[in-house]
Amino acid sequence: MNSRRTFVKKGIAGLMAGSIISLPEQSNAAPAKKEDTFKLGMAGYSFVHFKLDEALEMMKKTDVRYLCIKDFHLPYNSTAEQITAFHQKLKDANVTGYAVGPIYTKTHQEIDNAFDYAKRVGVDLIVGIPNHDDLKYVEQKVKEYNIRYAIHNHGPEDKLYPNATSVYNFVKDLDPRVGLCFDMGHNRRDNQDSVADLGKYSKRIFDIHLKNVTAATKDGKTCELGRGIIDIPAFVKMLRKVKYAGSCSLEYEKDMKEPLAGIAESVGYFRGVCQAS
């Protein structure tokens, strides 16, 4: 009897094993997610109180690899040797400098200097704030150098370019290489809809200063990316809808002498939103 029971048990086990083996393979793995066309970077102004080595160390800790270069890290009068050394330092930190600015200009000579600087640094994008009367000259230099020029908006206090619409209205009839550096935070402080404006002006937006703010007024302050009034998941959705292919560079202007915690929180939040949506 015991031998018969043993035989039956073995037979049932064998049938079960056979059934398991013969089942068609099923994968629970999620389909590969399409990679976003935009990249996460840092606006150099976030590190205004820090030397380049310290800034690169913060970028390393948060694994951000693109930097909009400010002149306090690479002065306008840098020699070729200094520029080479600068790029080597970035390369050693696995960081790429993709643009220069913002650069304020008041004269044609200063605009000439900005384009010469960008060419020597080896980038194809200048973030700038020119006078209205100089826009045709900026267009001329864009054509001469084949370097794009993105005008930065600075909110309700800015008499030149308070918001994205004000920039667009000045550049829409210029060479298509003249466009916007869209500061979504300052735009919202001017009581504009930053998600909708991204959609409206995306074809002329070459760079984005990624930030959130506490209020849609001039009293609004920069805050951690997930704690402000701009709907960041909706913003990411719009980035994808318009197929934005530039940099979203975090400009963190809170706790600027001790920014690492806020930068890390904001970077983590942005990446989490991108992964979850």
Side-chain angles (χ1 to χ4, degrees):
M1 181 66 70
N2 288 339
S3 61
R4 185 173 181 275
R5 286 178 179 171
T6 300
F7 176 79
V8 171
K9 287 179 180 178
K10 287 182 178 180
I12 293 172
L15 287 170
M16 292 176 67
S19 299
I20 293 170
I21 291 170
S22 64
L23 285 173
E25 290 188 11
Q26 296 183 350
S27 174
N28 293 323
K33 190 169 183 178
K34 189 175 180 181
E35 188 172 345
D36 283 317
T37 55
F38 54 87
K39 57 185 180 285
L40 177 61
M42 286 296 304
Y45 185 67
S46 302
F47 304 121
V48 65
H49 296 294
F50 298 89
K51 294 180 180 179
L52 179 61
D53 288 344
E54 297 170 312
L56 292 175
E57 183 62 26
M58 283 187 267
M59 292 184 68
K60 181 179 179 180
K61 287 179 178 178
T62 53
D63 194 27
V64 179
R65 301 182 182 183
Y66 297 92
L67 177 67
C68 186
I69 301 164
K70 276 295 290 178
D71 60 294
F72 49 73
H73 286 150
L74 185 63
Y76 298 139
N77 62 354
S78 294
T79 64
E81 292 75 17
Q82 288 169 327
I83 291 171
T84 298
F86 175 88
H87 283 305
Q88 185 60 53
K89 188 166 285 190
L90 264 59
K91 184 178 179 181
D92 292 343
N94 199 20
V95 169
T96 298
Y98 72 90
V100 294
I103 299 175
Y104 291 82
T105 56
K106 300 294 185 184
T107 66
H108 284 195
Q109 183 60 58
E110 289 176 345
I111 293 170
D112 289 346
N113 294 343
F115 277 88
D116 177 68
Y117 175 66
K119 181 179 179 180
R120 291 186 296 109
V121 174
V123 296
D124 70 351
L125 178 62
I126 297 170
V127 177
I129 302 93
N131 288 330
H132 296 161
D133 292 343
D134 291 332
L135 285 170
K136 291 299 291 184
Y137 189 72
V138 167
E139 180 185 39
Q140 178 183 324
K141 303 305 286 188
V142 163
K143 293 175 179 178
E144 178 184 341
Y145 281 82
N146 191 28
I147 292 176
R148 295 173 299 152
Y149 192 96
I151 298 175
H152 188 296
N153 62 286
H154 270 110
E157 303 91 345
D158 184 357
K159 303 305 181 186
L160 291 174
Y161 311 104
N163 54 54
T165 300
S166 66
V167 178
Y168 181 78
N169 286 339
F170 277 107
V171 306
K172 62 183 179 181
D173 297 322
L174 299 179
D175 186 285
R177 290 166 291 186
V178 183
L180 291 76
C181 172
F182 181 38
D183 189 308
M184 57 191 282
H186 284 314
N187 192 69
R188 189 72 187 99
R189 288 178 58 249
D190 201 43
N191 199 28
Q192 306 298 306
D193 185 334
S194 290
V195 176
D197 286 349
L198 171 61
K200 288 180 188 176
Y201 309 125
S202 61
K203 294 187 184 303
R204 296 298 277 266
I205 293 176
F206 305 151
D207 195 27
I208 291 175
H209 279 182
L210 184 67
K211 66 176 65 165
N212 214 331
V213 292
T214 57
T217 68
K218 66 178 182 179
D219 296 323
K221 306 295 183 185
T222 301
C223 60
E224 294 81 359
L225 200 60
R227 303 193 194 193
I229 61 172
I230 300 175
D231 186 341
I232 301 301
F235 193 83
V236 169
K237 185 177 180 180
M238 184 62 75
L239 287 170
R240 290 170 173 161
K241 180 178 179 180
V242 301
K243 297 181 173 59
Y244 175 69
S247 179
C248 293
S249 285
L250 179 69
E251 188 170 43
Y252 190 71
E253 297 172 309
K254 178 185 176 185
D255 305 323
M256 294 195 76
K257 292 188 176 180
E258 296 183 21
L260 181 56
I263 289 172
E265 179 181 327
S266 298
V267 166
Y269 178 78
F270 186 72
R271 286 185 172 138
V273 168
C274 291
Q275 290 168 6
S277 56

